[in-house]
Amino acid sequence: SVEISDARLEVVIPTGNGRPALDANVLLPWIEATASDVSLAYGRFPNASAFVIVVPSGNRRGRGNSPVPFGRVIRDGRESVELFVDATKPLSEFLDDWTATHEFSHLMVPYLNSDSRWISEGLAQYYQNVLLARSGAYDQARAWKNIHNGLERGRQSQPSMSPNEAARQGVRSARMKVYWSGAALALMADVTLRERSDGVESLDSVLDKLQICCLPSERSWSGPEFLRKLDSLIEPSPGTQTAKPVFMPLYDRYADTAGFPDFSEYFASLGVEIEGSTIRFSDDAPLTAVREHITRMDTDAAQWRRRLTDQ
């Protein structure tokens, strides 16, 4: 068991069948640190009793030389996150990897049907970078460059397809569009909520309410159903009885439109300037404070990670 805030995660390690041994002194601190990263979204882990299944597998599948070449969420019965790991890697490499943060971030939303996969994958893409910046694993420059570069890859992927079409075609045909269209939507919604509420509301706060009311969920949701629910959780504007929606207007604008959501104005307003491999932050931009709040480092989390890395 690994305890995170009010959550107790049960960690399962299959053994035998010639699998390489996995060092618990590497595994458990990494799981605890990564799950704690996800709690930086709204103060607690999204599922208080999830399974984490860690499969020592070398690096036979997935990404290059990564310590975690593959991961996925399993929603049959009790929610589980399955992580395939290279048992030869040191703790420092696990702590610098994003796979577990991405998979744990999926638990902040219900299972979305395959046509809406771009929304759930994109939200996890966005949060893996935001949360690793908050935990101190990434500095702000690395986080914003990762987000920008990912959005650029999404923009260049299958320009004749809409996000919904890309999801129906599947990841093999349009991986970057599927994974980054929803990240653009998440960024736009987060910035809009923070700007118009002077920082009172955010994507974090809306997902917090979603977890309280509706998670974990045992059924499949459609993308529009999910986004309408998020809109219903936004606080009404002062002096009004209803909240102005954010999520469904973005969906209606982009979901069935060929190309990619235009994120350039958002980066300009946030003061994020990228030219080639160089990133600069402008403190004169109108939404500088929003940018800093999105990726602001949590000092306690960062100090704890540094201690783990130095072990």
Side-chain angles (χ1 to χ4, degrees), residues 65-303:
N65 197 37
S66 169
V68 195
F70 182 73
R72 63 184 176 182
V73 175
I74 301 170
R75 308 230 191 203
D76 291 336
R78 187 173 174 183
E79 278 191 332
S80 303
V81 174
E82 188 175 36
L83 301 166
F84 292 79
V85 303
D86 183 346
T88 68
K89 300 294 185 180
L91 176 60
S92 60
E93 291 193 30
F94 280 91
L95 292 173
D96 192 57
D97 188 82
W98 54 260
T99 309
T101 307
H102 177 99
E103 300 303 335
F104 286 150
S105 293
H106 275 300
L107 301 184
M108 291 194 286
V109 303
Y111 175 73
L112 302 187
N113 62 29
S114 58
D115 285 355
S116 300
R117 184 177 183 181
W118 65 276
I119 298 172
S120 57
E121 291 294 352
L123 185 141
Q125 291 289 105
Y126 178 66
Y127 265 111
Q128 77 190 37
N129 290 289
V130 167
L131 295 172
L132 286 170
R134 293 179 188 175
S135 73
Y138 291 175
D139 60 26
Q140 290 204 19
R142 181 179 178 184
W144 285 108
K145 186 183 291 187
N146 283 356
I147 293 171
H148 177 273
N149 291 349
L151 294 174
E152 275 294 323
R153 290 194 296 273
R155 184 179 66 81
Q156 295 169 21
S157 172
Q158 300 289 358
S160 64
M161 289 184 185
S162 70
N164 276 344
E165 287 174 326
R168 287 192 287 269
Q169 288 290 324
V171 169
R172 289 187 178 183
S173 298
R175 176 180 293 273
M176 290 298 101
K177 172 151 284 183
V178 170
Y179 274 73
W180 285 100
S181 295
L185 186 147
L187 170 68
M188 292 173 176
D190 199 8
V191 171
T192 300
L193 288 166
R194 291 173 185 271
E195 178 185 13
R196 78 182 195 185
S197 68
D198 291 328
V200 174
E201 279 198 299
S202 64
L203 185 56
D204 298 340
S205 66
V206 174
L207 292 177
D208 178 15
K209 293 177 183 178
L210 179 75
Q211 195 274 336
I212 292 171
C213 78
C214 305
L215 297 181
S217 174
E218 296 182 356
R219 64 179 180 85
S220 173
W221 296 44
S222 72
E225 179 188 16
F226 168 63
L227 297 176
R228 288 190 190 99
K229 184 62 182 180
L230 295 187
D231 278 331
S232 76
L233 299 172
I234 298 173
E235 288 294 326
S237 302
T240 67
Q241 297 298 314
T242 58
K244 184 178 180 181
V246 170
F247 296 92
M248 276 304 296
L250 289 170
Y251 180 88
D252 289 338
R253 181 176 179 182
Y254 293 114
D256 291 307
T257 301
F260 195 81
D262 184 5
F263 57 89
S264 58
E265 291 185 6
Y266 288 82
F267 272 75
S269 296
L270 293 167
V272 181
E273 303 170 1
I274 295 180
E275 185 175 348
S277 61
T278 302
I279 181 169
R280 292 184 296 270
F281 295 129
S282 171
D283 292 338
D284 296 327
L287 299 184
T288 294
V290 170
R291 181 195 76 223
E292 293 179 344
H293 277 93
I294 288 173
T295 51
R296 176 173 291 172
M297 184 177 68
D298 182 286
T299 303
D300 291 339
Q303 289 177 345

